[in-house]
Amino acid sequence: SMPFYSEAHYILPNHQSQIIYKNKFLVRWEPREVAEWQHALQRGYQVKVYRGSNRDNLILQSTQTIHALGIMEWDREIANQTDSLMRSFYEGAKSFLYLPPELKEELQVTLAPEEGKSMEQTIEELRLGYLCYAITFNHQLIQKAGLGFALSLEPHAVYRIEVQSGDYPQFVFDYDPRKTVRSKLPALQAEFSDKNVKVKWETPDFKADYFGYFLDLSKDGKQYERVNDMPYVNILDSLK
């Protein structure tokens, strides 16, 4: 199971993000408040996809409702994970979506209610925050939690995706190939010595597209081996 710490919070800026990856428009959203999330767990998020040749002639192409996987579906997904690290993120997501009674009892003992909030509110906010952290591992996991959507792109087409649960405010994602600059990786700085190499990279201009990094090392420039099992994360621009 995933470890949790009551001091930590994980929040994406503006509660939504989007990226183009392998000709797919990947979008993600986070509930702005616990009440919205609880409504979405019951009713889901309605996703409307609009398409056109420009932003002035968009036509509704599809409407569907996105739900988080049910408990039995999560169990099947967890059983299918052969990588132990990935399985831990799936198990963590399930735990925060469907809080086991024993975990809720543990939280009631270990947590102190936030000022002006009940214990129930404090626990629900922690659940949502840690769910948003757990699903960040990949976009498929985000979709299975009911908080993301993937759209295959057609050449030269303009898209808009509108996401809403009940009367809560919409999330709106726009894609225009003429106005979209494809993401670039930050340049790496490497300082070599006899026994090691220090690698640095900038982060502020890339945080919207990249959050964690894997590094591969090669002795001959042909055969590469992965250096880190978990992504390196640098949310502060310290060049360390």
Side-chain angles (χ1 to χ4, degrees):
S1 62
M2 289 188 62
F4 62 88
Y5 305 93
S6 60
E7 303 84 21
H9 295 277
Y10 179 81
I11 302 173
L12 279 179
N14 303 321
H15 299 277
Q16 66 181 69
S17 59
Q18 62 189 59
I19 190 172
I20 308 300
Y21 180 70
K22 293 186 177 179
N23 206 43
K24 284 193 173 183
F25 190 25
L26 305 181
V27 302
R28 172 188 179 166
W29 58 90
E30 289 192 7
R32 302 172 184 88
E33 55 182 286
V34 168
E36 178 188 331
W37 181 48
Q38 291 172 333
H39 184 277
L41 287 177
Q42 299 296 320
R43 303 294 180 88
Y45 278 97
Q46 186 181 69
V47 178
K48 293 182 178 180
V49 177
Y50 296 83
R51 179 182 177 276
S53 58
N54 58 64
R55 292 188 179 181
D56 297 325
N57 65 359
L58 294 173
I59 298 174
L60 181 63
Q61 298 292 301
S62 65
T63 301
Q64 59 182 289
T65 302
I66 302 295
H67 289 278
L69 295 183
I71 294 180
M72 294 183 65
E73 293 172 303
W74 274 111
D75 289 337
R76 286 194 290 270
E77 291 289 341
I78 292 170
N80 290 335
Q81 300 305 314
T82 56
D83 180 82
S84 59
L85 178 62
M86 180 63 78
R87 189 184 306 115
S88 72
F89 278 85
Y90 272 76
E91 291 171 342
K94 177 195 170 186
S95 294
F96 301 126
L97 272 168
Y98 305 103
L99 191 66
E102 61 274 15
L103 179 54
K104 185 172 184 178
E105 291 177 5
E106 181 182 343
L107 292 174
Q108 289 173 334
V109 172
T110 58
L111 285 181
E114 292 188 26
E115 187 175 351
K117 298 178 182 178
S118 66
M119 175 61 77
E120 188 71 21
Q121 288 174 307
T122 301
I123 291 176
E124 289 301 294
E125 288 184 2
L126 182 138
R127 281 180 62 197
L128 177 57
Y130 270 94
L131 172 67
C132 292
Y133 166 77
I135 62 177
T136 300
F137 200 91
N138 71 21
H139 204 271
Q140 288 184 345
L141 190 49
I142 291 169
Q143 293 175 62
K144 289 176 173 63
L147 296 174
F149 182 73
L151 175 68
S152 296
L153 298 172
E154 296 181 17
H156 313 300
V158 175
Y159 293 91
R160 169 168 290 180
I161 299 175
E162 296 177 354
V163 180
Q164 188 172 26
S165 185
D167 295 327
Y168 291 94
Q170 284 186 334
F171 299 96
V172 179
F173 305 89
D174 288 305
Y175 169 73
D176 186 336
R178 293 162 296 186
K179 299 181 179 180
T180 300
V181 178
R182 295 289 170 144
S183 303
K184 295 181 180 179
L185 283 168
L188 297 181
Q189 300 177 26
E191 299 175 6
F192 287 91
S193 60
D194 290 341
K195 302 276 185 186
N196 57 64
V197 57
K198 182 185 294 183
V199 183
K200 306 176 182 180
W201 60 87
E202 299 276 358
T203 58
D205 294 336
F206 303 92
K207 282 192 289 189
D209 297 318
Y210 300 102
F211 189 72
Y213 297 84
F214 288 106
L215 300 180
D216 293 335
L217 178 67
S218 173
K219 295 181 180 179
D220 59 9
K222 297 177 182 179
Q223 298 295 324
Y224 285 83
E225 294 184 3
R226 178 63 49 86
V227 173
N228 48 319
D229 293 327
M230 288 280 285
Y232 288 132
V233 177
N234 180 12
I235 59 172
L236 302 175
D237 183 39
S238 60
L239 272 183
K240 294 182 179 178

